[in-house]
Amino acid sequence: MSTFRGSHAVSALGVGTLVAAVIHHGTEIGAVSGAAGPLLALALDGGIAVAVIVTGRRIAARDLSPTEEWRVARWAAAGTVLAVGAFAATLAVRVAEGRPLVEPLFPMLVAAGAGSLGGATAGYYAVRQAAEARRARDAVRAVSFVNHLLRHDLRNDLSTIHGYADLLAAESDGDDHAAVVAAKADEGLDRIEATSAVADAILGDADSSRVDLAETTRGVLASVADGESTTVEADLPEAAPVAANDGVRSVVHNLVENAIEHGGRDVTVRVAVRVGADGDALADGVAVADDEVALVVEDDGSGLPPEIRDGSFFADDRSAADPDGGVSGLRLVATLAEAYGGSLAPGESPLGGARFVVTLPHAPAGSTGSDT
């Protein structure tokens, strides 16, 4: 036995309006000369009623729960009541003014049908939007749960590996294999912490803390040694605290790696950090506000990538995780900068290549948050 659902209620509104229109205009045909007028009127209000019936059937064909269907039905009923009520109010005004009412039922049927149709349509899109928002919240919760689960389990596994590597190193003489395993375990732990911080920042779960951008940059550059075809120059202050989390390391790492990868052979990469409160905040043509810290990464390579030069990079809404090389890294940098309350700005470097400036909120010693 089928259950009466909200879609049936919507169709019932249309059927009721259609029956009323047929009866009303059927009596008109015998009361007036000629059937053209009543039939034309029936085509109007009856056509709207048929559209309401079809809308109800289409709602039934959608994958909506009974609760969602009844929500659409309530919207349709509310639209009918509002439209009929508004029209009835105009009739009341005309009566109060002493004006005669000429065939009020026809426009009232049109108003009822239009109100039902508009209410059902608005209700359907409201339900769909709510469902999409709910799915988005569920997806965020799922990603956040997986992030914390992987962080916990992988950290435990790597800590166990590190412990066994220490035991092997103590039992072996002159064998550096255990040391390599321990070093790789430490590197994996650092990578997990950085990745977790990135995920927390993107998901909005990160607690703001004071991170020394200058010290973080020194750590990243220490792992990027000058090669035969790469020269890295650094201009860093003693300290540059920003309001962020450990994901700042990914910001620095991706910008430096992007400059090295796209700069070409014999590229020179210059990395600088500017604190807005310092007197040299305007050095190299980089303007920094008093409450900001800027990370400047530039090179003498071939210049800005085409996607950034023509602006399509900023218009494209693909995920920062898309495997498209350096552009993917820049997407991640832009996303993290925005999550921290900062920004990423591309430009041309005086060296002849590309320049990227990331501005982040300054976090002086008296600000809230813990040091990391």
Side-chain angles (χ1 to χ4, degrees), residues 229-317:
S229 62
T230 303
T231 300
V232 179
E233 301 175 354
D235 182 7
L236 308 175
E238 181 178 350
V242 296
N245 69 358
D246 289 338
V248 165
R249 181 179 179 86
S250 291
V251 172
V252 181
H253 175 79
N254 277 282
L255 287 180
V256 173
E257 288 295 320
N258 179 75
I260 294 174
E261 179 181 353
H262 294 276
R265 290 186 57 81
D266 301 323
V267 63
T268 296
V269 179
R270 181 180 297 169
V271 182
V273 172
R274 304 296 183 206
V275 181
D278 294 345
D280 62 348
L282 296 177
D284 300 328
V286 178
V288 188
D290 290 342
D291 57 349
E292 291 180 339
V293 175
L295 168 68
V296 184
V297 179
E298 53 190 342
D299 58 69
D300 61 354
S302 57
L304 292 174
E307 300 91 338
I308 298 177
R309 187 180 299 109
D310 62 18
S312 61
F313 167 80
F314 299 99
D316 198 339
D317 61 357

Side-chain angles (χ1 to χ4, degrees), residues 13 73-91 107-120 122-123:
L13 286 174
R74 288 193 294 270
W75 275 78
T80 304
V81 171
L82 288 175
V84 172
F87 180 72
T90 64
L91 295 181
M108 184 168 289
L109 289 172
V110 173
S116 300
L117 184 60

Side-chain angles (χ1 to χ4, degrees), residues 208-213 240-245 248 292-294 360-364:
S208 178
S209 58
R210 284 189 300 274
V211 181
D212 190 346
L213 181 59
V242 296
N245 69 358
V248 165
E292 291 180 339
V293 175
L360 298 172
H362 185 213

Side-chain angles (χ1 to χ4, degrees), residues 51-144:
V52 175
I53 297 172
V54 173
T55 299
R57 294 180 64 85
R58 289 187 174 180
I59 291 173
R62 297 294 189 268
D63 189 18
L64 300 180
S65 67
T67 301
E68 290 172 333
E69 284 197 10
W70 278 112
R71 185 181 177 190
V72 175
R74 288 193 294 270
W75 275 78
T80 304
V81 171
L82 288 175
V84 172
F87 180 72
T90 64
L91 295 181
V93 171
R94 295 182 69 85
V95 171
E97 293 175 347
R99 298 183 182 184
L101 301 180
V102 181
E103 195 184 356
L105 188 55
F106 168 56
M108 184 168 289
L109 289 172
V110 173
S116 300
L117 184 60
T121 302
Y124 170 72
Y125 283 106
V127 165
R128 192 173 71 172
Q129 182 178 13
E132 291 176 351
R134 185 168 57 254
R135 284 193 293 269
R137 288 194 299 270
D138 291 343
V140 169
R141 292 192 188 100
V143 172
S144 180

